[in-house]
Amino acid sequence: MTTGSRRMFLRRTSVLGAAVAATMAAPTAQAASPSRAPTFVLIHGNSSTEFFWSPLVRELALRGHRSIAAQLPGHGVQAELSTAYQAPQRLGAYATEPSRLADATLDDYAEPVIETVNRIHHHGPVVLVAHSLGGAVMHRVANAVPQLLHHLVYVDAVCCTGALATAFDCIDAPENRDYRRYPIPPGLGDPERSRITRNNWRTADRTFLDAYRAAAMAEATDRELLVALNYFQQPDESATVSFEDARGHPASWGTVPRTYIRLDRDRLITPPLQVRMIADADRLTPHNRFRVHHLDSSHLGITLRFPHLADLLSLCV
């Protein structure tokens, strides 16, 4: 990993709706009966919140499905914001304010998801759904409690196996070279020193907004882009979680049926990288291969496609 590529990733990692190989001990519990109605447990991506999934939760409820958005530490309702982020903004001061996410690990992110799975599996099969960096969290959960999981669904999420040990390895893979064609201006502060990435999603800087739209949500109107930034994104994210080993283990993660939903217009986790991650995982567990579906969507454009995503999720139960 070159210093330049690491710095570039840290500057851009906030657009990805992100531990060493030890896994968390799996609690003793009986697997849920597949005859009962499933529950979807939704894991958001980098610099996002549980609110990212709100339109999907509504859509699933209208179809009679249970779902719950996981609450990751320091995100969403647990986020630490600042008056310096309000208006009028004091970005110079905000850039150096500390964040609890500086100490966050992949285990920290996985813990509340495992707790949710433990509480909810008694009601029926559990389907984990992850977007973007959420795939790394999903792997940690599936390594820990595979017997409690009915299905894993990757919505253009990182899938770490083999040489792609970390989320950063995935993003920095040769198959993802087109990712570099859409540079996004750097965020606030120095992520290598602060151990967080911090972005000002409330900016009116046209250069930043246009660059972010091109990279993450090219099909969006101005209104749709601003809604996504204001409701689904948060300023801070751990700068270390993306560099932790997030590989799925064949004897645990590899035993759970899985589906990959490819987003064919993604410029962040690009189609060639999606193909590589699927192929690597299938080689590792040839007895348990991905089912693959496609959506015509960009990385954050999935927020405009939730009815179509709900259609595909219904195939995983």
Side-chain angles (χ1 to χ4, degrees), residues 4-287:
S5 63
R6 179 186 176 98
R7 183 177 297 112
M8 175 182 173
F9 175 80
L10 287 173
R11 287 181 172 179
R12 300 190 58 200
T13 189
S14 59
V15 303
L16 293 179
V20 185
T23 61
M24 305 176 71
T28 301
Q30 293 185 352
S33 167
S35 64
R36 290 180 285 167
T39 302
F40 296 96
V41 178
L42 312 170
I43 307 171
H44 64 73
N46 192 294
S47 285
S48 190
T49 77
E50 62 265 30
F51 308 125
F52 174 85
W53 296 112
S54 295
L56 179 63
V57 169
R58 179 180 185 276
E59 183 65 30
L60 290 172
L62 291 172
R63 299 174 183 220
H65 295 302
R66 289 192 304 261
S67 63
I68 182 171
Q71 293 184 346
L72 304 188
H75 294 74
V77 296
Q78 299 182 24
E80 292 179 336
L81 298 176
S82 165
T83 57
Y85 185 58
Q86 300 301 108
Q89 292 188 309
R90 293 178 287 113
L91 297 181
Y94 189 47
T96 58
E97 287 187 2
S99 169
R100 63 178 289 198
L101 288 176
D103 298 319
T105 68
L106 199 52
D107 280 344
D108 292 330
Y109 283 11
E111 182 178 359
V113 184
I114 293 172
E115 180 183 358
T116 297
V117 170
N118 271 302
R119 292 184 62 183
I120 213 165
H121 84 278
H122 301 286
H123 302 298
V126 175
V127 179
L128 283 189
V129 181
H131 176 248
S132 192
L133 181 63
V137 181
M138 184 163 68
H139 275 202
R140 188 56 55 87
V141 176
N143 283 340
V145 290
Q147 76 280 10
L148 304 185
L149 303 175
H150 177 69
H151 208 98
L152 307 177
V153 182
Y154 298 70
V155 183
D156 204 14
V158 294
C159 180
C160 299
T161 59
L164 301 181
T166 71
F168 174 79
D169 291 337
C170 294
I171 303 308
D172 200 45
E175 292 81 1
N176 209 40
R177 58 183 174 271
D178 283 351
Y179 159 82
R180 297 169 180 81
R181 295 175 53 194
Y182 302 95
I184 296 172
L188 305 174
D190 180 357
E192 294 192 86
R193 172 175 293 182
S194 66
R195 292 180 294 154
I196 62 166
T197 58
R198 175 169 284 165
N199 282 278
N200 178 23
W201 302 117
R202 294 175 179 166
T203 183
D205 182 349
R206 196 73 249 177
T207 299
F208 179 90
L209 293 175
D210 288 345
Y212 190 81
R213 186 214 307 269
M217 204 175 183
E219 72 269 48
T221 64
D222 268 359
R223 182 193 67 80
E224 291 165 339
L225 176 66
L226 293 176
V227 166
L229 297 185
N230 279 277
Y231 287 96
F232 304 143
Q233 299 288 94
Q234 72 170 44
D236 291 359
E237 183 55 270
S238 165
T240 60
V241 165
S242 292
F243 297 94
E244 295 186 70
D245 193 312
R247 282 176 287 194
H249 300 161
S252 49
W253 157 85
T255 65
V256 185
R258 59 181 186 255
T259 291
Y260 203 101
I261 298 177
R262 290 184 49 187
L263 304 186
D264 293 334
R265 298 175 64 183
D266 199 326
R267 293 171 173 174
L268 300 176
I269 298 178
T270 60
L273 175 59
Q274 297 169 46
V275 170
R276 158 83 186 273
M277 293 188 296
I278 292 167
D280 284 358
D282 287 350
R283 277 193 296 271
L284 186 63
T285 59
H287 58 285

